[in-house]
Amino acid sequence: DTGVSQDPRHKITKRGQNVTFRCDPISEHNRLYWYRQTLGQGPEFLTYFQNEAQLEKSRLLSDRFSAERPKGSFSTLEIQRTEQGDSAMYLCASSQTSGGKGDEQFFGPGTRLTVL
Amino acid sequence: QKEVEQDPGPLSVPEGAIVSLNCTYSNSAFQYFMWYRQYSRKGPELLMYTYSSGNKEDGRFTAQVDKSSKYISLFIRDSQPSDSATYLCAMDAGNMLTFGGGTRLMVKP
């Protein structure tokens, strides 16, 4: 399967704990995005990388959130001191930039986080 | 007011019906328009991607964009029970996507 993969698929944690999620994009894609989706809502943009550079961050991404994409391959999203409001589906997407045109973003299956 | 508005439904139709799903938007900077299908507890799956105003057809799906009215539509012909899912419209001004809230569709046999 050459699609976007995410690990773990489900994570249950206690409030105050740190969690880390991993995303492996489609291999030739240079852009990688993180979104968050709560029940009954559409995904909301968090941040994106072009190769290893983090180019944009949403104001939704508080100081407790950090994302990395070392070497421009896989990415990790870490949430420190989790809160119950962090419970959501965390989605990763990847795309290949096409000379100024909009990108077709392909999503992974998501990591569902539950904070108790 | 949200940048992208989408009726949450649920929309219930009989098998074989033509389904019309719609979104309106307020940001004139949006240039690229997408429709995603999302099954329960799964990631969104890209269905249609359009750039200009007009229609784009792919099998049973037709995407329509009217930039002057800031209105986009997705039509599904000969709907099947397997089409039952949440349909998300998404718009791109060049970097990240802005999504509607999704419309839940149920196609009954």
Side-chain angles (χ1 to χ4, degrees):
Chain A
D1 188 344
T2 56
V4 178
S5 61
Q6 291 187 246
D7 184 69
R9 295 291 307 277
H10 304 274
K11 179 71 176 178
I12 299 174
T13 191
K14 293 182 179 179
R15 186 164 50 104
Q17 297 295 305
N18 299 344
V19 294
T20 300
F21 310 140
R22 176 178 170 128
C23 171
D24 287 272
I26 294 170
S27 59
E28 65 269 23
H29 285 183
N30 60 351
R31 283 193 173 181
L32 187 149
Y33 305 79
W34 286 99
Y35 291 82
R36 180 171 68 187
Q37 185 177 26
T38 53
L39 199 61
Q41 303 297 316
E44 295 177 297
F45 170 79
L46 292 178
T47 188
Y48 91 95
F49 294 82
Q50 180 155 322
N51 300 312
E52 65 275 9
Q54 188 174 17
L55 296 186
E56 192 161 346
K57 293 193 290 186
S58 163
R59 65 180 183 277
L60 293 176
L61 210 66
S62 78
D63 291 344
R64 296 184 298 105
F65 288 70
S66 63
E68 295 182 342
R69 192 183 183 199
K71 302 178 183 178
S73 56
F74 71 92
S75 176
T76 58
L77 178 68
E78 181 183 16
I79 309 175
Q80 296 182 326
R81 304 181 304 281
T82 52
E83 301 173 356
Q84 288 183 325
D86 297 331
S87 296
M89 174 83 92
Y90 290 84
L91 292 162
C92 176
S94 71
S95 71
Q96 178 63 34
T97 52
S98 51
K101 291 185 179 180
D103 301 338
E104 294 184 49
Q105 295 185 25
F106 297 91
F107 282 80
T111 295
R112 181 168 296 280
L113 173 66
T114 302
V115 182
L116 301 176
Chain B
Q1 184 183 4
K2 293 184 178 180
E3 281 190 290
V4 181
E5 298 281 357
Q6 186 174 8
D7 188 328
L11 179 62
S12 181
V13 300
E15 183 175 357
I18 296 174
V19 175
S20 173
L21 303 165
N22 311 293
C23 287
T24 58
Y25 63 95
S26 57
N27 188 346
S28 298
F30 291 139
Q31 296 295 318
Y32 311 100
F33 305 91
M34 283 138 275
W35 286 94
Y36 286 84
R37 177 174 63 195
Q38 186 173 30
Y39 292 110
S40 181
R41 298 182 175 268
K42 304 290 185 183
E45 172 194 6
L46 182 62
L47 285 178
M48 300 288 284
Y49 173 89
T50 56
Y51 168 64
S52 57
S53 286
N55 293 352
K56 180 178 180 180
E57 189 173 321
D58 184 0
R60 296 185 296 112
F61 299 93
T62 299
Q64 194 172 77
V65 174
D66 183 347
K67 288 186 177 179
S68 63
S69 300
K70 296 188 176 67
Y71 187 88
I72 69 170
S73 300
L74 178 71
F75 298 96
I76 307 174
R77 289 184 299 281
D78 187 25
S79 55
Q80 302 295 310
S82 59
D83 294 328
S84 298
T86 295
Y87 290 79
L88 298 156
C89 63
M91 307 186 185
D92 186 356
N95 293 322
M96 79 281 195
L97 297 179
T98 301
F99 282 85
T103 298
R104 186 177 163 210
L105 171 67
M106 295 183 292
V107 181
K108 298 189 175 180

